[in-house]
């Protein structure tokens, strides 16, 4: 990077429950390798998003279990900063999505050990005093993009939008070109929506 270049910040909101947010995060980490971009990770919560909605009972049970990992994520960010939040998401997301693991106390302890943080932090998953901070982080993302969306959310050049939903996550220069397109759309004030029917599940590496 030359002196005249600056690193572009992209804000990204995730819930560890969401496989599509995981795919978007892996894409953005690839983008960082081929573009002068840094991704700032933020917590979003499907539990908050759906708490007042009429959803199927099995989905209610799933999103209720989703409180644990977002509380822990917020505690890590508060106590250890943004870079450790990124490490946490990569570690727990790898266990959850490609690995098929459930969110449990044992998994939290394992992930904390892996990223070099005190295992006592695992108790944060049950700490309801963190819920206000979870809601505030979630609301920050929602206020930027609007109410009719879920995770993931990214903000490029000050314009936030849902997605992009990608499967598999592009790599190398492909990742950069997809980002160039997203940035181009985000730069047009009249851009609101681009969507097609999804016909594949997340393809994990």
């Amino acid at each position: 990077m030359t002196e005249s270049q600056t690193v572009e910040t992209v804000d990204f909101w995730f819930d560890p429950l969401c496989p599509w947010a995981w795919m978007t995060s892996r894409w953005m980490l690839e983008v960082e390798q081929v573009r002068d971009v840094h991704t700032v990770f933020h917590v979003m919560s499907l539990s908050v998003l759906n708490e007042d909605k009429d959803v199927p009972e099995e989905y209610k049970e799933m999103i209720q279990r989703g409180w644990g990992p977002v509380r822990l994520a917020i505690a890590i960010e508060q106590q250890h900063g943004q870079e450790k939040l990124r490490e946490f998401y990569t570690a727990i997301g790898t266990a959850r999505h490609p690995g098929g693991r459930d969110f449990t106390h044992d998994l939290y302890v394992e992930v904390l050990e892996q990223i070099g943080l005190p295992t006592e932090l695992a108790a944060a998953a049950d700490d309801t005093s963190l819920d206000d901070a979870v809601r505030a982080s979630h609301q920050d993302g929602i206020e930027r993009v609007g109410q009719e969306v879920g995770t993931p959310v990214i903000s490029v050049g000050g314009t936030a939008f849902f997605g992009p939903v990608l499967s598999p996550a592009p790599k190398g220069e492909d990742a950069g070109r997809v980002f160039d397109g997203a940035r181009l759309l985000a730069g047009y004030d009249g851009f609101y929506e681009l969507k097609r029917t999804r016909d594949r599940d997340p393809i994990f590496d």
Side-chain angles (χ1 to χ4, degrees), residues 42-61:
H42 305 276
V43 174
M44 194 173 185
S45 171
L46 291 171
S47 300
V48 173
L49 184 71
N50 291 286
E51 61 186 346
D52 296 323
K53 294 182 180 177
D54 185 16
V55 296
E57 195 62 36
E58 61 271 18
Y59 191 67
K60 285 183 181 179
E61 293 175 4

Side-chain angles (χ1 to χ4, degrees), residues 117-133:
L117 292 181
T119 57
E120 293 80 5
L121 258 177
D126 298 314
D127 185 355
T128 58
S129 72
L130 294 164
D131 291 0
D132 285 347

Side-chain angles (χ1 to χ4, degrees), residues 91-131:
I92 201 165
T94 299
R96 169 69 179 181
H97 299 298
R101 304 275 299 277
D102 288 330
F103 295 126
T104 64
H105 180 81
D106 287 345
L107 178 58
Y108 301 148
V109 168
E110 179 183 319
V111 164
L112 289 166
E113 288 179 339
Q114 182 179 332
I115 64 175
L117 292 181
T119 57
E120 293 80 5
L121 258 177
D126 298 314
D127 185 355
T128 58
S129 72
L130 294 164
D131 291 0

